[in-house]
Coordinates of all heavy atoms in Angstrom, one line a residue:
M1 N 31.6 7.7 13.2 CA 32.6 7.4 14.2 C 33.4 6.2 13.7 O 32.8 5.2 13.2 CB 31.9 7.1 15.5 CG 32.9 7.3 16.7 SD 32.0 7.2 18.2 CE 32.5 5.6 18.8
E2 N 34.7 6.2 13.9 CA 35.5 5.1 13.5 C 35.3 3.8 14.4 O 35.0 4.0 15.6 CB 37.0 5.5 13.6 CG 37.5 6.1 12.3 CD 38.9 6.4 12.4 OE1 39.7 5.6 13.0 OE2 39.4 7.4 11.8
D3 N 35.4 2.7 13.7 CA 35.3 1.4 14.4 C 36.5 1.3 15.4 O 37.6 1.3 14.9 CB 35.2 0.3 13.4 CG 35.0 -1.1 14.1 OD1 35.0 -1.1 15.3 OD2 34.7 -2.0 13.3
P4 N 36.3 1.1 16.7 CA 37.4 1.0 17.6 C 38.1 -0.4 17.5 O 39.2 -0.6 18.0 CB 36.8 1.2 19.0 CG 35.4 0.8 18.8 CD 35.0 1.1 17.4
N5 N 37.5 -1.3 16.8 CA 38.0 -2.7 16.8 C 39.1 -2.8 15.7 O 38.9 -2.2 14.6 CB 36.9 -3.7 16.5 CG 36.1 -3.9 17.8 OD1 36.4 -3.5 18.9 ND2 34.9 -4.5 17.6
C6 N 40.1 -3.6 15.9 CA 41.1 -4.0 14.9 C 40.4 -4.6 13.7 O 39.4 -5.4 13.8 CB 42.0 -5.0 15.6 SG 43.2 -5.7 14.5
P7 N 40.9 -4.3 12.5 CA 40.4 -4.9 11.3 C 40.4 -6.5 11.3 O 39.6 -7.1 10.7 CB 41.3 -4.4 10.2 CG 41.9 -3.2 10.7 CD 42.0 -3.4 12.2
N8 N 41.3 -7.0 12.2 CA 41.4 -8.5 12.3 C 40.5 -9.1 13.4 O 40.6 -10.3 13.7 CB 42.9 -8.9 12.5 CG 43.8 -8.5 11.4 OD1 43.4 -8.3 10.3 ND2 45.0 -8.2 11.8
Y9 N 39.8 -8.2 14.0 CA 39.1 -8.7 15.2 C 38.2 -9.9 15.0 O 38.2 -10.8 15.9 CB 38.1 -7.5 15.7 CG 37.6 -7.7 17.1 CD1 38.4 -7.2 18.2 CD2 36.4 -8.3 17.4 CE1 37.9 -7.4 19.5 CE2 36.0 -8.5 18.7 CZ 36.7 -8.0 19.7 OH 36.3 -8.2 21.0
N10 N 37.6 -10.0 13.9 CA 36.7 -11.2 13.7 C 37.4 -12.5 13.3 O 36.8 -13.5 13.3 CB 35.6 -10.9 12.7 CG 34.6 -9.9 13.3 OD1 34.3 -9.9 14.5 ND2 34.1 -9.0 12.4
S11 N 38.7 -12.3 12.9 CA 39.4 -13.5 12.4 C 40.6 -13.9 13.3 O 41.1 -15.0 13.2 CB 39.9 -13.3 11.0 OG 40.7 -12.2 10.9
C12 N 41.0 -12.9 14.1 CA 42.3 -13.2 14.9 C 42.1 -14.3 15.9 O 41.1 -14.3 16.7 CB 42.6 -11.9 15.7 SG 44.2 -12.0 16.6
R13 N 43.0 -15.2 15.9 CA 42.9 -16.4 16.8 C 43.0 -16.0 18.2 O 42.3 -16.6 19.1 CB 43.9 -17.4 16.4 CG 43.7 -18.1 15.1 CD 44.9 -18.9 14.6 NE 45.3 -19.9 15.5 CZ 44.8 -21.1 15.6 NH1 43.8 -21.5 14.8 NH2 45.3 -22.0 16.4
L14 N 43.7 -15.0 18.6 CA 43.8 -14.6 20.0 C 42.4 -14.1 20.5 O 42.1 -14.4 21.6 CB 44.8 -13.4 20.1 CG 45.1 -12.9 21.5 CD1 46.5 -12.5 21.7 CD2 44.2 -11.7 21.9
V15 N 41.7 -13.5 19.7 CA 40.4 -13.0 20.1 C 39.3 -14.1 20.1 O 38.5 -14.2 21.0 CB 39.9 -11.8 19.2 CG1 38.5 -11.4 19.5 CG2 40.8 -10.6 19.2
N16 N 39.4 -14.9 19.1 CA 38.3 -15.8 18.8 C 38.4 -17.2 19.3 O 37.5 -18.0 19.5 CB 38.0 -15.9 17.3 CG 37.5 -14.5 16.8 OD1 36.4 -14.1 17.1 ND2 38.3 -13.8 16.2
L17 N 39.7 -17.6 19.7 CA 39.8 -19.0 20.2 C 39.8 -18.9 21.8 O 40.7 -18.3 22.3 CB 41.2 -19.6 19.8 CG 41.3 -20.3 18.5 CD1 42.6 -21.0 18.3 CD2 40.1 -21.3 18.3
Q18 N 38.9 -19.4 22.4 CA 38.7 -19.3 23.8 C 39.9 -19.8 24.6 O 40.3 -19.3 25.6 CB 37.5 -20.1 24.3 CG 36.2 -19.5 23.8 CD 35.9 -18.1 24.2 OE1 36.0 -17.8 25.4 NE2 35.4 -17.3 23.3
D19 N 40.6 -20.8 24.0 CA 41.7 -21.4 24.8 C 43.1 -21.0 24.1 O 44.0 -21.8 24.2 CB 41.6 -22.9 24.9 CG 41.4 -23.5 23.5 OD1 41.3 -22.8 22.5 OD2 41.5 -24.8 23.4
F20 N 43.1 -19.9 23.5 CA 44.4 -19.5 22.8 C 45.5 -19.3 23.8 O 45.6 -18.2 24.5 CB 44.1 -18.2 22.0 CG 45.3 -17.7 21.2 CD1 45.5 -18.2 19.9 CD2 46.2 -16.8 21.8 CE1 46.6 -17.7 19.2 CE2 47.3 -16.4 21.0 CZ 47.5 -16.8 19.7
K21 N 46.3 -20.3 24.0 CA 47.6 -20.2 24.7 C 47.5 -19.8 26.2 O 48.4 -20.1 26.9 CB 48.5 -19.2 24.0 CG 49.1 -19.7 22.7 CD 49.9 -18.7 22.0 CE 51.3 -18.6 22.4 NZ 52.2 -19.6 21.9
F22 N 46.5 -19.0 26.6 CA 46.5 -18.6 28.0 C 45.1 -18.5 28.6 O 44.2 -18.7 27.9 CB 47.3 -17.3 28.2 CG 47.1 -16.4 27.0 CD1 45.9 -15.9 26.7 CD2 48.2 -16.0 26.3 CE1 45.7 -15.0 25.6 CE2 48.1 -15.2 25.2 CZ 46.8 -14.7 24.8
Q23 N 45.1 -18.1 29.9 CA 43.8 -18.0 30.5 C 43.0 -16.9 30.0 O 43.5 -15.9 29.4 CB 44.0 -17.8 32.0 CG 44.6 -19.0 32.7 CD 44.8 -18.7 34.2 OE1 44.9 -17.6 34.6 NE2 44.7 -19.8 35.0
D24 N 41.7 -17.0 30.2 CA 40.7 -16.0 29.7 C 41.0 -14.6 30.2 O 40.8 -13.6 29.4 CB 39.3 -16.4 30.1 CG 38.3 -16.1 29.0 OD1 38.7 -16.2 27.8 OD2 37.2 -15.7 29.3
T25 N 41.5 -14.4 31.4 CA 41.7 -13.1 31.9 C 42.8 -12.4 31.2 O 42.8 -11.2 30.9 CB 42.1 -13.1 33.4 OG1 43.0 -14.1 33.6 CG2 40.8 -13.4 34.3
T26 N 43.9 -13.2 30.8 CA 45.0 -12.6 30.1 C 44.5 -12.2 28.7 O 44.8 -11.2 28.2 CB 46.1 -13.6 30.0 OG1 46.4 -14.1 31.3 CG2 47.4 -13.1 29.3
R27 N 43.8 -13.1 28.1 CA 43.2 -12.8 26.7 C 42.4 -11.6 26.7 O 42.5 -10.7 25.9 CB 42.4 -14.0 26.3 CG 42.1 -14.1 24.8 CD 41.5 -15.4 24.5 NE 40.2 -15.6 25.1 CZ 39.0 -15.1 24.6 NH1 39.1 -14.5 23.4 NH2 37.9 -15.2 25.2
K28 N 41.5 -11.4 27.7 CA 40.6 -10.3 27.8 C 41.5 -9.0 28.0 O 41.1 -7.9 27.5 CB 39.7 -10.4 29.0 CG 38.5 -11.3 28.6 CD 37.5 -11.3 29.7 CE 36.3 -12.2 29.4 NZ 35.7 -12.9 30.5
K29 N 42.5 -9.1 28.8 CA 43.4 -7.9 29.0 C 44.0 -7.5 27.7 O 44.1 -6.3 27.3 CB 44.5 -8.3 30.0 CG 45.0 -7.1 30.7 CD 45.8 -7.4 32.0 CE 44.8 -7.4 33.1 NZ 45.3 -7.8 34.4
Y30 N 44.6 -8.5 26.9 CA 45.1 -8.1 25.6 C 44.1 -7.4 24.7 O 44.3 -6.5 24.0 CB 45.6 -9.4 24.9 CG 47.0 -9.7 25.2 CD1 47.4 -11.0 25.7 CD2 48.1 -8.8 25.1 CE1 48.7 -11.4 26.0 CE2 49.4 -9.2 25.4 CZ 49.7 -10.5 25.9 OH 51.0 -10.8 26.2
I31 N 42.9 -8.0 24.7 CA 41.8 -7.4 23.9 C 41.5 -6.0 24.3 O 41.3 -5.1 23.4 CB 40.5 -8.3 24.0 CG1 40.8 -9.7 23.3 CG2 39.3 -7.7 23.3 CD1 39.7 -10.7 23.4
E32 N 41.4 -5.8 25.6 CA 41.2 -4.4 26.1 C 42.3 -3.4 25.7 O 42.0 -2.3 25.3 CB 41.1 -4.4 27.6 CG 39.8 -4.5 28.2 CD 39.9 -4.6 29.7 OE1 40.7 -3.9 30.4 OE2 39.1 -5.5 30.2
I33 N 43.5 -3.9 25.8 CA 44.6 -3.0 25.6 C 44.9 -2.8 24.1 O 45.2 -1.6 23.7 CB 45.9 -3.6 26.2 CG1 45.8 -3.6 27.7 CG2 47.2 -2.7 25.8 CD1 46.9 -4.3 28.5
Y34 N 44.7 -3.8 23.3 CA 45.1 -3.7 21.9 C 43.9 -3.8 20.9 O 44.0 -3.0 19.9 CB 46.1 -4.8 21.5 CG 47.4 -4.7 22.1 CD1 47.7 -5.3 23.3 CD2 48.4 -4.0 21.5 CE1 49.0 -5.2 23.9 CE2 49.7 -3.8 22.1 CZ 50.0 -4.5 23.3 OH 51.2 -4.3 23.8
C35 N 43.0 -4.6 21.1 CA 42.1 -5.0 20.0 C 40.9 -4.2 19.8 O 40.4 -4.1 18.7 CB 41.6 -6.5 20.2 SG 43.0 -7.6 20.6
S36 N 40.4 -3.6 20.9 CA 39.0 -3.0 20.8 C 39.1 -1.5 21.2 O 38.0 -1.0 21.6 CB 38.0 -3.8 21.6 OG 38.5 -3.8 23.0
T37 N 40.2 -0.9 21.2 CA 40.3 0.4 21.8 C 41.0 1.4 20.8 O 41.7 2.4 21.2 CB 41.1 0.4 23.1 OG1 42.3 -0.4 22.9 CG2 40.2 -0.2 24.2
G38 N 40.7 1.2 19.5 CA 41.1 2.3 18.5 C 42.4 1.9 17.8 O 43.2 1.1 18.2
E39 N 42.6 2.6 16.7 CA 43.7 2.4 15.7 C 45.0 2.5 16.4 O 45.9 1.7 16.1 CB 43.5 3.3 14.5 CG 44.6 3.0 13.5 CD 44.4 3.8 12.2 OE1 43.4 4.5 12.1 OE2 45.3 3.6 11.3
A40 N 45.3 3.5 17.2 CA 46.6 3.7 17.8 C 47.0 2.4 18.5 O 48.2 2.1 18.5 CB 46.6 4.9 18.7
N41 N 46.1 1.8 19.1 CA 46.4 0.6 19.9 C 46.6 -0.7 19.0 O 47.6 -1.4 19.1 CB 45.4 0.3 21.0 CG 45.4 1.4 22.0 OD1 46.4 2.1 22.2 ND2 44.3 1.7 22.7
W42 N 45.6 -0.9 18.2 CA 45.8 -2.2 17.3 C 46.9 -2.0 16.3 O 47.6 -2.9 15.9 CB 44.5 -2.7 16.7 CG 43.6 -1.7 16.0 CD1 42.4 -1.3 16.5 CD2 43.7 -1.2 14.7 NE1 41.8 -0.5 15.6 CE2 42.5 -0.4 14.4 CE3 44.6 -1.3 13.7 CZ2 42.3 0.2 13.2 CZ3 44.4 -0.7 12.5 CH2 43.3 0.1 12.3
N43 N 47.2 -0.7 16.0 CA 48.3 -0.5 15.1 C 49.7 -0.7 15.7 O 50.7 -0.8 15.1 CB 48.2 0.9 14.6 CG 48.8 1.1 13.1 OD1 49.0 0.1 12.5 ND2 49.0 2.3 12.7
S44 N 49.7 -0.9 17.1 CA 51.0 -1.2 17.7 C 51.0 -2.7 18.1 O 52.0 -3.1 18.8 CB 51.1 -0.3 19.0 OG 50.1 -0.7 19.9
C45 N 50.1 -3.4 17.8 CA 50.0 -4.9 18.1 C 50.9 -5.6 17.1 O 50.8 -5.5 15.9 CB 48.6 -5.4 18.0 SG 48.5 -7.2 18.0
K46 N 51.8 -6.4 17.7 CA 52.8 -7.2 16.9 C 52.1 -8.2 16.0 O 52.5 -8.5 14.9 CB 53.9 -7.8 17.7 CG 55.0 -8.5 17.0 CD 55.7 -7.6 16.0 CE 56.6 -6.5 16.5 NZ 57.8 -6.9 17.1
R47 N 50.9 -8.7 16.5 CA 50.2 -9.7 15.7 C 49.6 -9.0 14.5 O 49.6 -9.5 13.4 CB 49.0 -10.3 16.5 CG 49.5 -11.4 17.5 CD 48.4 -12.1 18.2 NE 47.5 -12.8 17.3 CZ 47.7 -14.0 16.7 NH1 48.9 -14.6 17.0 NH2 46.9 -14.5 15.9
Y48 N 49.1 -7.8 14.7 CA 48.5 -7.0 13.6 C 49.6 -6.7 12.6 O 49.5 -6.8 11.3 CB 47.9 -5.7 14.1 CG 47.5 -4.7 13.0 CD1 46.3 -5.0 12.3 CD2 48.2 -3.7 12.6 CE1 45.9 -4.2 11.3 CE2 47.8 -2.8 11.6 CZ 46.6 -3.1 10.9 OH 46.3 -2.3 9.9
L49 N 50.8 -6.2 13.1 CA 51.9 -5.8 12.2 C 52.4 -7.0 11.4 O 52.8 -6.9 10.2 CB 53.0 -5.1 13.0 CG 52.6 -3.8 13.6 CD1 53.6 -3.3 14.6 CD2 52.3 -2.7 12.6
T50 N 52.5 -8.2 12.1 CA 53.0 -9.4 11.4 C 52.0 -9.8 10.3 O 52.5 -10.1 9.2 CB 53.1 -10.5 12.5 OG1 54.0 -10.1 13.5 CG2 53.6 -11.8 11.8
K51 N 50.7 -9.8 10.6 CA 49.8 -10.2 9.6 C 49.8 -9.2 8.4 O 49.7 -9.6 7.2 CB 48.4 -10.3 10.2 CG 47.4 -10.8 9.1 CD 46.1 -11.3 9.7 CE 45.3 -12.0 8.5 NZ 44.0 -11.4 8.4
K52 N 49.9 -7.9 8.7 CA 49.9 -6.9 7.7 C 51.1 -7.2 6.7 O 51.0 -7.0 5.5 CB 50.1 -5.5 8.3 CG 49.9 -4.4 7.4 CD 49.9 -3.1 8.2 CE 50.1 -1.9 7.3 NZ 50.4 -0.7 8.1
T53 N 52.3 -7.5 7.3 CA 53.5 -7.7 6.5 C 53.5 -9.1 5.8 O 53.9 -9.2 4.7 CB 54.7 -7.5 7.4 OG1 54.6 -6.3 8.0 CG2 56.0 -7.6 6.5
L54 N 53.2 -10.1 6.6 CA 53.4 -11.5 6.1 C 52.2 -12.1 5.5 O 52.2 -13.2 4.8 CB 53.9 -12.4 7.2 CG 55.2 -12.0 7.9 CD1 55.6 -13.0 9.0 CD2 56.4 -11.9 6.9
G55 N 51.0 -11.6 5.9 CA 49.7 -12.2 5.4 C 49.2 -13.2 6.3 O 48.1 -13.7 6.1
F56 N 49.9 -13.5 7.4 CA 49.5 -14.4 8.4 C 50.2 -14.1 9.7 O 51.2 -13.4 9.7 CB 49.7 -15.9 8.0 CG 51.1 -16.3 8.0 CD1 51.6 -17.0 9.1 CD2 52.0 -16.0 7.0 CE1 53.0 -17.4 9.1 CE2 53.3 -16.3 7.0 CZ 53.8 -17.1 8.1
C57 N 49.8 -14.7 10.8 CA 50.5 -14.5 12.1 C 50.5 -15.8 12.9 O 49.5 -16.3 13.2 CB 49.8 -13.4 12.9 SG 50.7 -13.0 14.4
P58 N 51.7 -16.3 13.1 CA 51.8 -17.5 13.9 C 51.3 -17.3 15.3 O 51.4 -16.2 15.9 CB 53.3 -17.8 14.0 CG 53.9 -17.0 12.9 CD 53.0 -15.8 12.7
D59 N 50.8 -18.4 15.9 CA 50.3 -18.3 17.3 C 51.3 -17.9 18.4 O 50.9 -17.3 19.4 CB 49.7 -19.7 17.7 CG 48.4 -20.0 17.0 OD1 47.8 -19.1 16.3 OD2 47.8 -21.1 17.2
F60 N 52.6 -18.1 18.1 CA 53.5 -17.7 19.2 C 53.7 -16.2 19.3 O 54.3 -15.7 20.2 CB 54.9 -18.4 19.0 CG 55.6 -18.0 17.8 CD1 56.4 -16.9 17.7 CD2 55.6 -18.9 16.7 CE1 57.1 -16.5 16.6 CE2 56.3 -18.5 15.5 CZ 57.1 -17.3 15.5
V61 N 53.2 -15.5 18.3 CA 53.3 -14.0 18.3 C 52.2 -13.4 19.1 O 51.0 -13.7 18.8 CB 53.3 -13.4 16.9 CG1 53.4 -11.9 17.0 CG2 54.4 -14.0 16.1
L62 N 52.5 -12.7 20.1 CA 51.5 -12.0 21.0 C 51.5 -10.5 20.7 O 52.5 -10.0 20.1 CB 51.8 -12.3 22.5 CG 51.7 -13.7 22.9 CD1 52.1 -13.9 24.3 CD2 50.3 -14.3 22.6
P63 N 50.5 -9.7 21.1 CA 50.5 -8.3 20.8 C 51.7 -7.6 21.3 O 52.2 -6.6 20.6 CB 49.2 -7.8 21.6 CG 48.3 -9.0 21.5 CD 49.2 -10.2 21.7
D64 N 52.3 -8.0 22.4 CA 53.5 -7.3 22.9 C 54.8 -8.1 22.7 O 55.8 -7.8 23.4 CB 53.3 -7.0 24.4 CG 52.9 -8.2 25.2 OD1 52.8 -9.3 24.7 OD2 52.7 -8.0 26.4
T65 N 54.8 -9.0 21.8 CA 56.0 -9.7 21.5 C 57.1 -8.7 21.0 O 56.8 -7.8 20.2 CB 55.7 -10.8 20.3 OG1 54.9 -11.8 20.9 CG2 57.0 -11.3 19.8
T66 N 58.3 -8.9 21.5 CA 59.3 -8.0 21.2 C 60.2 -8.4 20.0 O 61.1 -7.7 19.6 CB 60.3 -7.7 22.4 OG1 60.8 -8.9 22.8 CG2 59.5 -7.0 23.5
L67 N 60.0 -9.6 19.5 CA 60.7 -10.1 18.3 C 60.5 -9.2 17.1 O 59.4 -8.7 16.9 CB 60.3 -11.5 18.0 CG 60.5 -12.7 19.0 CD1 59.8 -13.9 18.5 CD2 62.0 -12.9 19.2
S68 N 61.6 -9.1 16.3 CA 61.4 -8.3 15.1 C 60.7 -9.2 14.1 O 60.6 -10.5 14.3 CB 62.8 -8.0 14.5 OG 63.5 -9.1 14.1
L69 N 60.2 -8.7 12.9 CA 59.6 -9.5 11.9 C 60.5 -10.6 11.4 O 60.1 -11.7 11.2 CB 59.0 -8.6 10.8 CG 57.7 -7.9 11.2 CD1 57.4 -6.9 10.0 CD2 56.6 -8.8 11.5
N70 N 61.8 -10.2 11.2 CA 62.8 -11.2 10.7 C 62.9 -12.3 11.7 O 63.0 -13.5 11.4 CB 64.1 -10.6 10.5 CG 64.1 -9.9 9.1 OD1 63.3 -10.1 8.3 ND2 65.1 -9.0 8.9
E71 N 63.0 -12.0 13.0 CA 63.1 -13.0 14.0 C 61.8 -13.9 14.1 O 61.9 -15.1 14.3 CB 63.3 -12.4 15.4 CG 64.7 -11.8 15.5 CD 64.9 -10.9 16.7 OE1 63.9 -10.3 17.2 OE2 66.0 -10.8 17.2
I72 N 60.7 -13.3 13.8 CA 59.5 -14.1 13.8 C 59.5 -15.1 12.6 O 59.1 -16.3 12.8 CB 58.2 -13.1 13.7 CG1 58.0 -12.4 15.0 CG2 57.0 -13.9 13.3 CD1 57.0 -11.3 15.0
I73 N 59.9 -14.6 11.5 CA 60.0 -15.5 10.3 C 61.0 -16.7 10.6 O 60.7 -17.8 10.3 CB 60.5 -14.7 9.1 CG1 59.4 -13.7 8.7 CG2 60.8 -15.6 7.9 CD1 59.9 -12.7 7.6
E74 N 62.2 -16.3 11.2 CA 63.2 -17.4 11.5 C 62.6 -18.4 12.5 O 62.7 -19.6 12.3 CB 64.4 -16.7 12.2 CG 65.4 -16.2 11.1 CD 66.5 -15.4 11.8 OE1 66.8 -15.6 13.0 OE2 67.0 -14.5 11.1
K75 N 61.9 -17.9 13.5 CA 61.3 -18.8 14.5 C 60.2 -19.7 13.9 O 60.1 -20.9 14.1 CB 60.8 -18.0 15.7 CG 60.3 -18.9 16.8 CD 60.0 -18.1 18.1 CE 59.4 -19.1 19.1 NZ 59.0 -18.5 20.3
F76 N 59.4 -19.1 13.0 CA 58.4 -19.8 12.3 C 59.0 -20.9 11.5 O 58.5 -22.0 11.5 CB 57.5 -18.9 11.5 CG 56.4 -19.6 10.7 CD1 55.3 -20.0 11.4 CD2 56.6 -19.8 9.3 CE1 54.3 -20.7 10.7 CE2 55.6 -20.4 8.6 CZ 54.4 -20.9 9.3
D77 N 60.0 -20.6 10.7 CA 60.7 -21.5 9.9 C 61.3 -22.7 10.7 O 61.2 -23.8 10.3 CB 61.8 -20.9 9.1 CG 61.3 -20.0 7.9 OD1 60.1 -20.2 7.6 OD2 62.0 -19.2 7.3
E78 N 61.9 -22.3 11.8 CA 62.5 -23.4 12.7 C 61.4 -24.3 13.2 O 61.5 -25.5 13.2 CB 63.2 -22.7 13.9 CG 64.6 -22.2 13.6 CD 65.1 -21.3 14.8 OE1 64.6 -21.4 15.9 OE2 66.0 -20.5 14.5
E79 N 60.3 -23.7 13.6 CA 59.2 -24.5 14.2 C 58.6 -25.4 13.1 O 58.1 -26.5 13.4 CB 58.1 -23.7 14.8 CG 58.6 -23.1 16.1 CD 57.4 -22.4 16.9 OE1 56.3 -22.3 16.4 OE2 57.7 -22.0 18.1
S80 N 58.6 -24.9 11.9 CA 58.0 -25.7 10.8 C 58.8 -26.9 10.4 O 58.3 -27.9 9.9 CB 57.9 -24.8 9.5 OG 57.1 -23.7 9.8
L81 N 60.1 -26.8 10.8 CA 61.0 -27.9 10.4 C 61.0 -29.0 11.5 O 61.5 -30.1 11.3 CB 62.5 -27.4 10.3 CG 62.7 -26.5 9.1 CD1 64.1 -25.9 9.1 CD2 62.4 -27.2 7.8
T82 N 60.5 -28.7 12.7 CA 60.5 -29.7 13.8 C 59.2 -30.5 13.8 O 58.3 -30.2 13.2 CB 60.7 -29.0 15.1 OG1 59.6 -28.1 15.3 CG2 62.0 -28.4 15.3
Ligands
SF4_101 S1 45.6 -9.4 18.7 FE1 46.3 -7.8 17.4 S2 45.8 -8.5 15.4 FE2 44.6 -9.7 16.8 S3 42.6 -8.6 16.9 FE3 44.0 -7.9 18.6 S4 45.0 -6.0 17.8 FE4 44.2 -7.2 16.1

């Protein structure tokens, strides 16, 4: 049987940092919807797609972030300059 967890499950900051940006209930909801319920779900996570393409994922990117990868790169660059 296939592992239902995202390949990034053990390293993703959203899963593993207890105080990642929001309350625990929100974090748990994201984990239920995206992280631990099969490939179709984690494969639609913007954090997963960002890490797959860029090799890392900034904290401001959430599973349902609607920014494109280019917009994420631009925002990351802007934040790095401030
Ligand atoms: S937030 Fe996305 S990248 Fe992180 S473990 Fe969940 S599905 Fe994977």
Side-chain angles (χ1 to χ4, degrees):
M1 201 173 109
E2 272 184 35
D3 186 349
N5 288 345
C6 170
N8 299 333
Y9 195 86
N10 291 326
S11 60
C12 184
R13 288 167 58 82
L14 182 143
V15 174
N16 295 287
L17 276 190
Q18 296 296 317
D19 57 350
F20 184 88
K21 288 172 86 79
F22 33 63
Q23 291 183 331
D24 216 34
T25 47
T26 308
R27 198 171 64 86
K28 281 186 180 148
K29 202 162 272 177
Y30 274 128
I31 292 172
E32 262 175 44
I33 295 171
Y34 290 94
C35 314
S36 61
T37 46
E39 181 172 0
N41 293 334
W42 47 257
N43 212 12
S44 68
C45 168
K46 189 53 74 69
R47 287 186 59 78
Y48 174 78
L49 297 170
T50 301
K51 182 160 190 238
K52 187 175 165 191
T53 306
L54 303 181
F56 71 101
C57 183
D59 283 355
F60 66 80
V61 180
L62 298 176
D64 54 0
T65 289
T66 56
L67 294 172
S68 69
L69 285 175
N70 279 343
E71 289 168 331
I72 288 169
I73 292 168
E74 277 172 24
K75 186 168 177 183
F76 178 75
D77 285 346
E78 278 168 21
E79 287 191 354
S80 301
L81 293 174
T82 55

